[in-house]
Amino acid sequence: MGLCNVLETLEKAYLIDDYAKAKDSGIIDLVLVGDIDDYHLNDLSRKTERYVNRKIRGMVLSREEFEAFFPRLQQRPHVIIWEARK
């Protein structure tokens, strides 16, 4: 399964915490909003980790979960890195 299939329902992607502050801590934290297949996302993350030599941690949220989480996100360093066209 390719990247497009795994992330075809991705609505938004945020880079958060250290990398959002341009600090290379070795851990890339992401918030992904949408109906994402966890198994295939984890597989892609592991493959990408080997390529970039960094740990990738992804938090997958539905649209409703993201709306509840958004006030907390506003309190953390964050950069939107992708948003679906509406």
Side-chain angles (χ1 to χ4, degrees):
M1 180 173 283
L3 179 63
C4 291
N5 293 335
V6 174
L7 300 177
E8 65 187 16
T9 61
L10 181 65
E11 296 176 23
K12 295 180 184 186
Y14 288 86
L15 183 63
I16 64 170
D17 298 334
D18 286 346
Y19 273 80
K21 296 186 297 187
K23 179 180 176 190
D24 184 358
S25 65
I27 300 173
I28 300 169
D29 288 308
L30 301 169
V31 174
L32 305 173
V33 182
D35 184 20
I36 311 296
D37 181 307
D38 286 330
Y39 175 80
H40 290 102
L41 177 63
N42 289 333
D43 182 52
L44 285 172
S45 293
R46 283 191 306 275
K47 290 175 183 175
T48 304
E49 286 173 348
R50 289 191 301 263
Y51 181 73
V52 299
N53 199 29
R54 303 288 185 278
K55 174 73 178 153
I56 298 172
R57 294 189 298 201
M59 178 189 308
V60 178
L61 302 171
S62 69
R63 182 181 302 147
E64 294 79 20
E65 291 169 328
F66 178 73
E67 289 172 6
F69 178 75
F70 190 72
R72 287 184 280 164
L73 177 66
Q74 293 294 99
Q75 303 298 315
R76 300 166 76 166
H78 64 281
V79 176
I80 191 161
I81 56 174
W82 194 85
E83 188 168 19
R85 293 182 191 169
K86 296 180 181 183

